[in-house]
C-alpha cells in the first residue's frame, strides 16, 4: 500500500504560557510629522499616565488597553531585539510583528519569500530569526539598489558604496537569502522566484511598488500574503494608496489598511 507523502512541516515558533495578571506597556518616542517634539513628548507621557495598562506608543501609533501580543511572543522579542540598528527599528516593533505573523502563515505554503526594499536587511533578518534563523527552510529574495537610493530625498544613513557588501556580510551564514542588487523592475531579470508565499514591498515610492506588483503578484500562491509597508501612510506616501487601490480593485482585491500604516492583502 502506498503511504501518502506528507509535506515537510515548517519549524514554527511557540507561544509560552500567558500571564493573566500582567500586560506590557511600550513607549518609544520615535514618530514623524510632529511640529513640537518636546511638548508632544510631555503630553504623550502624561497621556500614558492617564490610561489603563497595555499602552503602545511609537511609530505614530498610540493605543492602550491592548494585549501588546508582540511582547508576549518571546521568539519574536528575541528576533526583534537582536536586529535593532536604530531608534526607528525600535518604534516599528508592531510593524515587524505583522511581518512575523505573516511569515508564520506563509512558511506553511508552497513558494519563496521576497522583500522589495531591503536597506540593511533588518526586516528580512527579523522575520528569518523569528522563524528559526539559519534553519529557516525557505529561500528569501531581497531586492534593492543598496549603495544608493533611487527615490529622491530618501537616502538612508549608510546608503553609499559598500552597503551591499555589508548587507551580504550580515547574511553570510544564511545561504537561503538571495540578495539582488539593482533597480526594480529591471533587477528581476537577474533572479526571480517562480512562486511566492510571502511578499513584502517597502520601496517608499509608487512607481517602484506598482512595477514590483506587476511582476510579482501573479507569482503569489493562493493563501500567500502581500504586505505594503507604506500603504496607509498619508502625506508623501499617499500616492501609493492612490495607485495601489485601483491596481488591486482591477484584480478584485481590497487592501486591508492596518493601524501600523501597512496595507495587507491575502491572495486567492
Ligand atoms: C524603507 S527602505 C527598506 C527598509 C526595509 N524593508 C526594512 O524593513 O528594514 C526602502 C529601500 O527601497 C529601495 N528602493 C526604492 N526604490 C527602489 C527601486 N526601484 N529598486 C530597488 N530598490 C529600491 C531603497 O534603496 C531603500 O533601501
Amino acid at each position: 500500500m502506498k503511504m501518502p507523502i506528507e509535506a515537510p512541516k515548517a519549524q514554527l515558533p511557540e507561544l509560552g504560557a500567558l500571564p493573566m495578571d500582567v500586560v506590557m506597556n511600550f513607549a518609544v518616542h520615535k514618530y514623524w510629522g510632529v511640529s513640537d517634539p518636546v511638548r508632544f513628548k510631555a503630553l504623550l507621557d502624561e497621556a500614558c499616565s492617564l490610561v489603563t495598562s497595555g499602552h503602545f506608543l511609537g511609530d505614530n501609533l498610540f493605543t492602550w488597553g491592548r494585549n501588546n501580543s508582540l511582547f508576549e511572543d518571546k521568539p519574536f522579542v528575541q528576533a526583534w531585539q537582536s536586529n535593532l540598528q536604530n531608534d526607528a527599528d525600535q518604534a516599528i516593533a508592531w510593524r515587524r510583528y505583522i511581518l512575523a505573523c505573516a511569515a508564520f502563515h506563509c512558511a506553511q505554503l508552497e513558494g519563496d519569500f521576497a522583500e522589495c526594499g531591503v536597506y540593511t536587511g533588518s526586516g528580512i533578518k527579523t522575520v528569518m530569526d523569528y522563524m528559526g534563523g539559519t534553519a529557516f527552510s525557505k529561500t528569501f529574495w531581497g531586492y534593492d539598489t543598496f549603495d544608493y537610493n533611487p527615490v529622491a530625498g530618501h537616502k538612508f544613513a549608510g546608503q553609499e558604496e559598500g552597503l551591499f557588501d555589508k548587507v551580504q556580510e550580515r547574511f553570510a551564514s544564511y545561504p537561503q537569502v538571495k540578495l539582488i542588487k539593482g533597480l526594480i523592475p529591471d533587477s528581476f531579470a537577474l533572479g526571480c522566484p517562480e512562486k511566492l508565499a510571502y511578499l513584502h514591498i517597502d520601496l517608499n515610492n509608487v512607481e517602484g511598488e506598482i512595477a514590483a506588483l506587476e511582476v510579482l503578484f501573479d507569482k503569489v500562491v493562493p493563501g500567500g500574503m502581500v504586505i505594503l509597508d507604506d500603504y496607509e501612510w498619508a502625506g508623501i506616501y499617499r500616492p501609493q494608496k492612490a495607485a495601489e487601490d485601483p491596481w488591486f480593485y482591477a484584480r478584485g482585491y481590497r487592501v486591508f489598511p492596518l493601524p501600523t500604516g501597512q496595507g495587507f492583502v491575502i491572495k486567492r
Side-chain angles (χ1 to χ4, degrees):
M1 192 177 78
K2 274 196 175 168
M3 298 297 286
I5 299 168
E6 273 192 29
K9 297 247 182 333
Q11 182 183 332
L12 299 174
E14 288 180 31
L15 290 175
L18 189 66
M20 296 306 288
D21 52 340
V22 184
V23 178
M24 272 280 302
N25 290 314
F26 175 82
V28 169
H29 286 277
K30 177 71 184 176
Y31 15 68
W32 293 267
V34 171
S35 58
D36 183 341
V38 174
R39 181 164 153 71
F40 189 76
K41 178 180 183 305
L43 290 170
L44 266 288
D45 279 341
E46 186 178 355
C48 286
S49 75
L50 298 174
V51 296
T52 186
S53 60
H55 68 250
F56 183 103
L57 168 62
D59 196 18
N60 292 23
L61 193 61
F62 177 42
T63 186
W64 59 95
R66 297 300 173 94
N67 283 318
N68 274 333
S69 297
L70 59 163
F71 303 117
E72 309 262 353
D73 187 335
K74 299 291 176 268
F76 172 74
V77 173
Q78 166 70 28
W80 164 65
Q81 284 184 336
S82 62
N83 285 294
L84 296 176
Q85 294 197 323
N86 53 50
D87 51 358
D89 285 336
Q90 290 235 2
I92 67 172
W94 203 321
R95 275 199 249 181
R96 294 288 196 225
Y97 197 53
I98 297 290
L99 299 181
C101 292
F104 187 102
H105 171 91
C106 296
Q108 299 169 74
L109 303 176
E110 187 189 11
D112 296 345
F113 280 40
E115 182 173 85
C116 297
V118 174
Y119 182 35
T120 64
S122 293
I124 293 180
K125 199 158 170 300
T126 301
V127 162
M128 292 190 72
D129 289 348
Y130 177 62
M131 293 302 299
T134 53
F136 183 54
S137 62
K138 294 281 194 188
T139 298
F140 207 137
W141 301 79
Y143 298 91
D144 204 300
T145 42
F146 293 101
D147 294 356
Y148 72 98
N149 195 318
V151 186
H154 261 80
K155 180 181 172 187
F156 292 108
Q159 230 179 351
E160 59 207 10
E161 207 177 320
L163 178 64
F164 182 56
D165 296 340
K166 284 185 189 152
V167 182
Q168 279 193 307
E169 182 57 32
R170 195 175 181 195
F171 287 104
S173 55
Y174 296 71
Q176 67 277 58
V177 174
K178 296 189 187 304
L179 298 174
I180 307 284
K181 183 183 179 187
L183 194 66
I184 292 169
D186 299 348
S187 57
F188 294 132
L190 303 173
C192 200
E194 280 180 18
K195 290 182 179 180
L196 276 174
Y198 166 106
L199 174 59
H200 181 215
I201 303 185
D202 184 10
L203 296 175
N204 298 144
N205 85 100
V206 59
E207 292 80 12
E209 299 218 351
I210 295 291
L213 285 168
E214 290 284 353
V215 175
L216 298 181
F217 189 67
D218 284 348
K219 295 175 184 287
V220 179
V221 301
M225 292 177 167
V226 181
I227 304 101
L228 307 161
D229 185 69
D230 311 311
Y231 171 85
E232 187 55 12
W233 288 81
I236 58 167
Y237 299 105
R238 196 158 161 79
Q240 293 182 45
K241 174 181 165 59
E244 286 162 0
D245 279 345
W247 194 92
F248 278 104
Y249 184 77
R251 291 156 182 82
Y253 289 89
R254 173 119 311 152
V255 180
F256 290 60
L258 303 187
T260 53
Q262 294 155 304
F264 179 61
V265 172
I266 303 178
K267 182 86 179 286
R268 288 187 301 277

